[in-house]
Amino acid sequence: MTLAANSASNGIAIDAQDLTRRFGSFVAVDHITFDVKAGEVFGFLGANGAGKTTAIKMLVGLLAPSEGTAHVAGADIRTQRDEIKRSIGYMSQRFSLYADLTVRENIRLYGGIYGLTPDQIAERTKRMLDNLGLSGSVDDLVGDLPLGWKQKLAFSVALVHEPKIVFLDEPTSGVDPITRRQFWELIYAAAARGTTVFVTTHYMDEAEYCDRISIMVDGKIVELGTPAELKEKYRTETVDDVFVRLARGATKGEAA
Amino acid sequence: MSNAVEVHSVSKSFGAVKALDDISFEVRAGELFGLVGPDGAGKTTLFRILTTLLVADSGSASVLGLDPVKDLWAIRSRVGYMPGSFALYPDLSVSENLEFFAAVFGTTIEKGYELIEPIYKQLEPFRARRAEALSGGMKQKLALSCALVHRPELLLLDEPTTGVDAVSRREFWDQLGRLKSSGLTIVVSTPYMDEALRCDRVALIHGGRILEVDLPQSIGARYSLPLIAVKGSNRFALLQTLREFPSARSVYLFGDELHYSDKRVNADAGEIAAEVKTFLAQHGHADAETAPITAGIEDSFMELMGSAPAPKAEAA
């Protein structure tokens, strides 16, 4: 049995082995090894410049590793990038929707990119907007929606092709506290349906919402576990305290 | 002069969107004052009015005792402003940017150095680097240095910590504490509720309206509903079950807990906690723990947001 087939059948969504990326003499990601279970909400934490974005780019097939490898939804990130793109969804920090297209047009665009049929697109558009309570805004320009609605819509659009794994890069930045929590309920609902969620955030209370978290410092994963395990280990009340203790020793980020 | 900033009934619309809707508050001299609210609350519009870059539709404001419309040049030379988006010259070096801002204000880096030294010292190893090639944290330090180089009496910072990691955010607030103790008045906006606790006083702002102005501790203390913290496994199921409890008013995720508020305003919180625990045990959550707690500023913000009429900007 190949490693890929093995990891897919083991209920492992992401499996990284010594994943490394260098830029010249700078080691942005330094031999990281971890796995993410299928259906898990996995928080990928780290200070600015710790190497999170570089690691995510490799996992979604946008950047080749210098060394090591990873399997994402059973596909090898070095050789099966097209397979990976079909089985993941991605929502970036600020924006993944087109502001000058309507809600319906955005969904149709992304559905089309992922090869859904017109019938599938129509059915999923209706279901998505019913769930979000956005049915009345289907012909509004996305640019005219309040930020919180945009973020919730962008998340749903990232799931339009029913991916096995969704990558969320700071999805709640700048959003009000109620909408942030509604967003996390959408994340929980997706995970309950079996979607694996890989999420980055600077809000440490959100780190507490994850099943497991990893903390990256200077390109390395220095800690990985459930929020409760890490708080117990460092004898602190919050993940924020764990994070600050580990990330304060960082040296690379600011020089980058 | 006891107030560094006064804002009286200021409103500002952009087309159909009411960015600021009858805003009033004051900032005392020497205070570290926080404007706390999400993106789109109106924080940037307010800063632009105070820095003379935008004129209010109605109402009035005073900045260091001056009128932002009539006395714009006087205000500009006495106020330091760090806008939310990076506004330095990307193709000038670190030291060239700083020299430029000093020259614009008719001063030199040396004259203002005492104030910026603790911040600028960390930048000196990169003084010849172009601003665009700096990391996020270093850009932020350079922008702060440029806003301080003319030794302003009032510093206005628009979301200086958005997108910044938890460690750098703490360090930035430590810097603000140092600047405040040098006598500077500081108004800072943030979407992070935890940063409110580092301010002397805060205004909670949402949908163009001020929800509350007070000491950060007092805002939490004024929360009047019985509030219960609930802990247990399978949090999503727990949350959904809890919402089924007949007198549930709101249930929110909150760190490693859920915060539950009850419709029965005058009921005893201890009794409610016991009732909720029994209800959860009967519905498959035998391990759930409940305890009455004191509300924090984020509980208050959500309660005020939820009970305020829908902001007009959102309906547009």
Side-chain angles (χ1 to χ4, degrees):
Chain A
M1 190 188 272
T2 65
L3 182 58
N6 193 20
S7 59
S9 63
N10 276 348
I12 299 294
I14 300 174
D15 164 28
Q17 293 287 331
D18 285 323
L19 193 61
T20 299
R21 175 70 200 201
R22 295 185 196 87
F23 296 103
S25 62
F26 179 71
V27 189
V29 175
D30 192 356
H31 296 88
I32 61 172
T33 297
F34 68 98
D35 58 38
V36 178
K37 294 167 200 145
E40 190 171 37
V41 179
F42 189 87
F44 195 61
L45 310 183
N48 302 113
K52 296 191 303 288
T53 303
T54 305
I56 292 173
K57 279 185 178 168
M58 288 192 279
L59 293 175
V60 301
L62 292 176
L63 188 69
S66 309
E67 215 182 290
T69 190
H71 290 88
V72 173
D76 188 319
I77 60 164
R78 294 167 305 179
T79 56
Q80 297 175 291
R81 294 188 191 190
D82 287 346
E83 284 85 340
I84 288 177
K85 281 172 194 152
R86 270 193 287 276
S87 45
I88 65 167
Y90 178 76
M91 178 186 162
S92 77
Q93 207 149 1
R94 265 290 155 184
F95 221 36
S96 11
L97 300 176
Y98 289 88
D100 46 5
L101 295 183
T102 65
V103 170
R104 187 198 306 279
E105 287 165 343
N106 266 287
I107 300 170
R108 199 164 69 202
L109 173 68
Y110 282 95
I113 288 171
Y114 284 110
L116 301 185
T117 65
D119 284 351
Q120 282 175 315
I121 292 173
E123 180 256 317
R124 287 182 202 180
T125 301
K126 183 174 184 317
R127 194 177 54 192
M128 191 188 298
L129 297 180
D130 286 348
N131 279 341
L132 293 174
L134 264 176
S135 304
S137 304
V138 65
D139 292 314
D140 290 354
L141 291 181
V142 162
D144 291 340
L145 298 179
L147 176 70
W149 292 15
K150 276 184 212 165
Q151 302 293 86
K152 285 188 263 185
L153 181 64
F155 177 65
S156 301
V157 168
L159 295 175
V160 73
H161 56 301
E162 297 176 347
K164 295 192 182 105
I165 306 170
V166 63
F167 289 83
L168 308 173
D169 194 0
E170 291 184 37
T172 57
S173 188
V175 174
D176 72 70
I178 292 182
T179 307
R180 245 169 14 94
R181 287 168 170 81
Q182 291 169 343
F183 194 94
W184 273 88
E185 290 185 28
L186 291 178
I187 289 180
Y188 277 147
R193 291 192 302 268
T195 312
T196 307
V197 180
F198 188 93
V199 59
T200 75
T201 180
H202 287 312
Y203 291 94
M204 289 299 125
D205 60 331
E206 295 186 346
E208 309 264 6
Y209 304 159
C210 300
D211 295 321
R212 288 191 306 151
I213 53 177
S214 68
I215 298 177
M216 224 174 147
V217 178
D218 288 346
K220 296 188 175 76
I221 288 183
V222 296
E223 207 49 90
L224 194 158
T226 66
E229 285 165 0
L230 299 191
K231 285 185 283 185
E232 165 101 28
K233 178 172 171 184
Y234 290 88
R235 299 181 180 282
T236 61
E237 292 284 309
T238 61
V239 170
D240 189 24
D241 291 331
V242 177
F243 180 84
V244 168
R245 191 175 308 180
L246 291 169
R248 207 152 238 175
T251 54
K252 277 181 186 168
E254 292 297 7
Chain B
M1 182 194 64
S2 59
N3 286 332
V5 177
E6 289 187 6
V7 176
H8 303 288
S9 304
V10 163
S11 295
K12 177 76 190 176
S13 295
F14 299 101
V17 179
K18 238 180 177 176
L20 293 177
D21 188 2
D22 197 21
I23 295 257
S24 298
F25 68 96
E26 55 208 37
V27 179
R28 295 168 197 149
E31 203 168 35
L32 175 47
F33 187 90
L35 272 173
V36 181
D39 287 6
K43 305 189 298 291
T44 300
T45 303
L46 185 57
F47 275 124
R48 292 177 65 80
I49 290 170
L50 297 178
T51 52
T52 77
L53 301 173
L54 203 63
V55 176
D57 296 339
S58 60
S60 66
S62 104
V63 175
L64 301 169
L66 302 164
D67 182 322
V69 180
K70 283 189 303 201
D71 309 319
L72 76 162
W73 297 109
I75 287 180
R76 287 180 188 191
S77 65
R78 292 169 62 186
V79 168
Y81 174 43
M82 183 172 154
S85 52
F86 185 65
L88 304 177
Y89 291 90
D91 44 4
L92 292 186
S93 71
V94 166
S95 56
E96 284 167 345
N97 264 293
L98 198 57
E99 277 161 22
F100 174 81
F101 281 93
V104 163
F105 287 107
T107 182
T108 61
I109 297 177
E110 290 69 35
K111 278 189 192 157
Y113 196 70
E114 198 186 295
L115 194 57
I116 61 171
E117 188 181 5
I119 307 152
Y120 190 64
K121 254 198 335 216
Q122 303 170 51
L123 277 166
E124 284 210 295
F126 315 106
R127 55 182 304 159
R129 190 177 288 190
R130 281 148 62 114
E132 66 187 351
L134 293 174
S135 70
M138 285 291 158
K139 275 182 185 159
Q140 180 204 46
K141 291 188 177 84
L142 178 58
L144 182 59
S145 301
C146 290
L148 288 170
V149 71
H150 60 297
R151 290 186 293 176
E153 295 152 63
L154 170 68
L155 183 62
L156 300 169
L157 306 167
D158 193 5
E159 294 208 9
T161 56
T162 292
V164 173
D165 67 67
V167 174
S168 307
R169 289 207 283 131
R170 284 197 191 188
E171 288 171 357
F172 192 83
W173 279 91
D174 292 344
Q175 292 286 3
L176 293 190
R178 272 192 285 277
L179 290 169
K180 173 188 140 66
S181 55
S182 76
L184 196 63
T185 306
I186 304 173
V187 183
V188 55
S189 72
T190 178
Y192 294 97
M193 297 288 144
D194 56 339
E195 294 185 346
L197 299 173
R198 313 263 326 230
C199 301
D200 296 327
R201 289 192 311 140
V202 294
L204 303 185
I205 181 167
H206 180 64
R209 295 192 189 138
I210 302 265
L211 302 175
E212 194 82 80
V213 183
D214 209 334
L215 309 175
Q217 302 78 4
S218 309
I219 290 179
R222 213 174 302 143
Y223 188 91
S224 58
L225 299 161
L227 190 68
I228 312 292
V230 181
K231 262 191 172 182
S233 54
N234 195 357
R235 198 162 2 182
F236 188 43
L238 187 63
L239 176 106
Q240 289 170 318
T241 307
L242 206 44
R243 288 210 175 118
E244 299 296 315
F245 189 62
S247 44
R249 178 185 161 90
S250 67
V251 183
Y252 290 122
L253 293 164
F254 225 102
D256 60 356
E257 305 170 332
L258 302 174
H259 283 190
Y260 164 92
S261 75
D262 199 280
K263 285 178 193 159
R264 294 166 292 175
V265 181
N266 297 315
D268 179 73
E271 282 169 25
I272 293 173
E275 273 180 41
V276 169
K277 186 174 163 61
T278 307
F279 175 82
L280 289 172
Q282 286 164 354
H283 291 79
H285 296 280
D287 71 336
E289 296 291 331
T290 61
I293 49 163
T294 322
I297 192 165
E298 194 156 2
D299 296 298
S300 288
F301 191 100
M302 292 196 288
E303 180 57 29
L304 291 164
M305 247 184 91
S307 54
K312 287 176 190 136
E314 301 243 323

